[in-house]
Amino acid sequence: MQSSSITSRGGRRTRHSTLSRLAGLATALTLIATGVAIAPAASAQQNPHERGPAPTESSIEALRGPFSVADTRVSSLVSGFGGGTIYYPTDTSQGTFGAIAVSPGYTGTQSTISWLGPRIASQGFVVFTIDTNTTIDQPDSRGRQLLAALDYLVEDSRVRDRIDSNRLGVMGHSMGGGGSLAAAQDRPALQAAIPMTGWHLSKNWSRVQVPTMVIGAENDLIASVRTHSIPFYESLPSSLDKAYLELDGASHFAPNISNTTIAKYSISWLKRFIDDDTRYEQFLCPAPTDREISEYRDTCPHS
């Protein structure tokens, strides 16, 4: 073997190896002195926003991910929304995290979507489940409140130092889902939006520039997929990274209880677009064949 030959022969080969290393060092020093950048080692992490180990089917279906989570309450006396609960990873060794605000639906409080908080946060996000100013606020108002909650997270919250203000997203149920579409339309700098069994009078979201996963429910009698989720999805620009996921046999209230299908694909969408983590692309493209999904559409491959 060549390595044995170099080790045993010493003499000329060792001197040659030493001279080669010295020559390489001299070249590197010359490049640095003249301002020429040296490429990082191939083993260096290419995506600085990756958080946690490589995902598996079981890891994104689990009730809890790899991060331990703590939570803190936010008073209803804050301006712009009705308070809520922030769930966040306790680990600070991997840097900052992306953040998501989640709105409940009509007549609902944060308790109806609270299960999403620790489940998504444990995968490496800061998650803010909010109460709205009143339980009867309409979708556009809920959209403004989602944005106010994100602003509070990155500017005033106790965990603001844990958050990357450039990596934010919104989610919502029912009128909160309609609110998440409104928020995405109003703030194109967002990285992801997920309306869940969303309700909104507008069926035209052609101005949305935020990667959006629309989650509908096959047996939804309040926001029928034919009059809400499907038109929402179809109105989004064809050039946009977007997906439509329809829950098999589910009702309008599917997002109000712990749901592995919602969690699994929401986590994948948020990881893919808030963290730009292509390790999660495998769960979105090609279209999944999950038996809990009655229909799935996606603009694969993602940009």
Side-chain angles (χ1 to χ4, degrees), residues 3-300:
S3 58
S4 298
S5 173
I6 292 173
T7 301
S8 62
R9 291 191 179 181
R12 184 173 62 214
R13 286 218 180 182
T14 301
R15 287 193 297 274
H16 177 75
S17 177
T18 301
L19 289 171
S20 297
R21 286 196 296 270
L22 290 173
L25 178 59
T27 301
L29 291 172
T30 301
L31 289 171
I32 294 171
T34 55
V36 178
I38 298 175
S43 60
Q45 183 171 311
Q46 298 302 307
N47 177 10
H49 305 315
E50 285 184 7
R51 299 291 181 266
T56 64
E57 196 88 17
S58 60
S59 75
I60 59 173
E61 290 180 349
L63 290 176
R64 293 293 180 270
F67 293 91
S68 296
V69 172
D71 62 79
T72 182
R73 294 282 301 197
V74 176
S75 168
S76 60
L77 298 178
V78 294
S79 176
F81 59 102
T85 305
I86 302 171
Y87 301 86
Y88 60 95
T90 58
D91 182 6
T92 59
S93 66
Q94 297 190 41
T96 54
F97 297 93
I100 304 104
V102 191
S103 169
Y106 188 70
T107 74
T109 65
Q110 64 162 317
S111 64
T112 62
I113 38 88
S114 61
W115 68 273
L116 287 162
R119 190 153 183 176
I120 295 177
S122 68
Q123 297 285 347
F125 292 101
V126 175
V127 183
F128 196 0
T129 58
I130 69 168
D131 280 315
T132 47
N133 290 325
T134 77
T135 58
I136 60 173
D137 289 334
Q138 296 298 297
D140 288 343
S141 173
R142 291 170 190 267
R144 292 189 293 272
Q145 292 177 63
L146 282 167
L147 296 179
L150 289 176
D151 292 341
Y152 175 85
L153 269 180
V154 301
E155 295 170 5
D156 301 311
S157 76
R158 291 173 55 187
V159 298
R160 59 187 179 276
D161 292 341
R162 299 172 186 261
I163 299 169
D164 182 343
S165 61
N166 294 314
R167 294 161 48 219
L168 306 175
V170 288
M171 298 178 67
H173 169 237
S174 191
M175 284 194 179
S180 69
L181 285 167
Q185 182 167 266
D186 290 345
R187 189 172 292 183
L190 295 177
Q191 301 298 301
I194 304 178
M196 301 176 290
T197 62
W199 190 99
H200 201 293
L201 288 175
S202 175
K203 305 301 184 287
N204 183 358
W205 299 99
S206 59
R207 292 192 291 118
V208 171
Q209 301 176 39
V210 178
T212 300
M213 170 175 274
V214 178
I215 297 178
E218 183 181 27
N219 294 337
D220 191 336
L221 301 179
I222 296 174
S224 163
V225 294
R226 293 186 185 86
T227 58
H228 288 78
S229 292
I230 291 176
F232 294 164
Y233 174 79
E234 291 180 340
S235 73
L236 292 167
S238 59
S239 59
L240 184 69
D241 287 314
K242 61 179 183 175
Y244 171 69
L245 186 158
E246 185 175 295
L247 300 165
D248 184 55
S251 78
H252 182 71
F253 301 102
N256 291 158
I257 58 175
S258 182
N259 184 300
T260 294
T261 305
I262 291 175
K264 174 181 180 179
Y265 296 102
S266 294
I267 289 165
S268 297
W269 193 261
L270 297 170
K271 283 286 192 179
R272 176 63 182 82
F273 292 104
I274 290 182
D275 288 355
D276 195 27
D277 193 337
T278 56
R279 298 179 300 174
Y280 289 80
E281 182 81 355
Q282 62 182 301
F283 307 112
L284 302 168
C285 298
T289 57
D290 195 316
R291 63 184 180 182
E292 300 300 323
I293 298 174
S294 55
E295 183 178 353
Y296 187 91
R297 310 183 200 178
D298 199 308
T299 53
C300 296

